[in-house]
């Protein structure tokens, strides 16, 4: 009982820490905090000078929506990707058993985040730290403050070949295509070590993640994620989250291993 109480206390402290980080990063880091002579950003603004986050979404010269900017995810989904779903997550029996053990806190030291390993796709999108999209003609880059991670989606027409010789990855091999005003990102080639959320929903090397990004207006982007992993789930499932633009913010360096002590006591 004492061990269980100690474990639950540690999990509560970790949750509180994540909430504090989310609050602090949610405010954004002003670009003027590190720099001098920062040009005023060209943004749609309200009469009082504040950014107008409900203005129309910007477009590139080719007419496609411009997804570029620093974005902040909604809270809560990094802990539970199944949050607010009307139907239960369709676990396979082994995956449900493994999930239950992880969710109890018994394997918290094995979580990739706790060991400063990549959070993986789509979990990295929900981490309580901002991330930047850099959109070019042939590649869309996702640059994350959390752990200084990045990944890319090619939009130049290439396709993932699925070769067994490809090295499995944390973030997958991603390609993107446009469906109207929505960028559809397909990610495959995962290493099977990704926890889909902090509660520990498992994945396998069969994982296929589809991420649909739709910039609804200047300051809000809808992110709809579908998890299709026949190795762990009986059917595809997913969730939809809204990210908010931080129009006058920048990313900070985030080195995970600095001052990390807990998992080294294994």
């Amino acid at each position: 009982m004492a061990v269980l109480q100690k474990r639950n206390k540690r999990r509560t402290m970790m949750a509180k820490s994540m909430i504090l980080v989310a609050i602090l990063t949610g405010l954004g880091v002003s670009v003027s905090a590190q720099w001098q002579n920062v040009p005023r950003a060209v943004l749609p603004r309200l009469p009082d000078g504040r950014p107008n986050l409900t203005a129309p979404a910007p477009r590139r010269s080719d007419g496609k929506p411009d997804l570029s900017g620093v974005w902040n995810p909604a809270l809560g989904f990094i802990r539970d990707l199944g949050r607010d779903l009307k139907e239960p997550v369709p676990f396979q029996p082994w995956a449900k058993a493994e999930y239950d053990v992880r969710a109890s806190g018994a394997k918290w030291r094995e979580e990739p985040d706790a060991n400063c390993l990549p959070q993986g796709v789509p979990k990295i999108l929900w981490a309580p730290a901002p991330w930047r999209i850099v959109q070019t003609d042939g590649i869309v880059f996702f640059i994350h403050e959390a752990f200084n991670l990045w990944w890319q989606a090619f939009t130049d027409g290439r396709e993932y070949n699925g070769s067994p010789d490809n090295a499995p990855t944390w973030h997958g091999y991603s390609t993107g295509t446009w469906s109207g005003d929505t960028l559809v990102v397909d990610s495959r080639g995962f290493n099977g070590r990704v926890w889909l959320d902090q509660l520990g929903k498992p994945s396998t090397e069969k994982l296929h993640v589809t991420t649909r990004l739709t910039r609804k207006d200047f300051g809000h982007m809808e992110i709809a994620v579908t998890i299709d992993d026949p190795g762990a789930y009986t059917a595809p499932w997913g969730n939809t989250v809204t990210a908010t633009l931080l129009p006058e913010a920048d990313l900070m360096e985030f080195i995970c291993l600095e001052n990390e002590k807990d998992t080294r006591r294994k």
Side-chain angles (χ1 to χ4, degrees), residues 27-46:
L27 297 176
V29 179
S30 171
V31 295
S32 61
Q34 295 83 39
W35 310 103
Q36 301 182 65
N37 304 321
V38 178
R40 192 168 191 253
V42 179
L43 306 169
R45 295 184 182 274
L46 299 168

Side-chain angles (χ1 to χ4, degrees), residues 44-125:
R45 295 184 182 274
L46 299 168
D48 62 4
R50 291 180 297 126
N52 182 2
L53 298 184
T54 60
R59 293 183 179 272
R60 292 168 51 85
S61 59
D62 61 3
K64 299 296 184 185
D66 189 347
L67 307 182
S68 300
V70 175
W71 297 92
N72 205 53
L75 301 182
F77 292 91
I78 188 171
R79 175 171 172 75
D80 183 7
L81 184 55
R83 177 182 177 180
D84 301 330
L85 292 181
K86 295 181 180 179
E87 300 292 333
V89 174
F91 290 102
Q92 291 192 16
W94 79 264
K96 182 61 165 62
E98 177 66 14
Y99 168 72
D100 288 342
V101 173
R102 292 177 179 180
S104 75
K107 293 188 175 183
W108 76 270
R109 291 180 186 271
E110 298 179 16
E111 183 181 6
D113 306 28
N115 293 277
C116 294
L117 292 169
Q119 292 164 316
V121 171
K123 185 180 180 184
I124 186 62
L125 292 169

Side-chain angles (χ1 to χ4, degrees), residues 11-25 75 78-79 111 113 119 123 126-129 198 254:
R11 286 176 61 82
T12 300
M13 291 175 63
M14 291 174 63
K16 289 181 177 178
S17 297
M18 293 296 288
I19 291 172
L20 177 59
V21 171
I23 292 172
L24 294 175
T25 55
L75 301 182
I78 188 171
R79 175 171 172 75
E111 183 181 6
D113 306 28
Q119 292 164 316
K123 185 180 180 184
W126 322 136
Q198 289 178 329
F254 181 167

Side-chain angles (χ1 to χ4, degrees), residues 135-198:
Q135 184 174 343
T136 72
D137 289 340
I139 309 176
V140 177
F141 295 96
F142 297 80
I143 305 170
H144 296 266
E145 182 174 288
F147 298 9
N148 282 10
L149 294 171
W150 67 276
W151 55 290
Q152 60 193 352
F154 291 95
T155 57
D156 57 4
R158 72 183 67 189
E159 298 178 355
Y160 178 61
N161 61 20
S163 170
D165 294 329
N166 295 334
T169 67
W170 289 95
H171 295 122
Y173 298 89
S174 299
T175 59
T177 57
W178 288 95
S179 176
D181 286 343
T182 297
L183 178 64
V184 182
V185 177
D186 281 305
S187 304
R188 305 172 186 265
F190 291 94
N191 60 13
R193 299 173 63 190
V194 175
W195 288 30
L196 298 178
D197 55 24
Q198 289 178 329

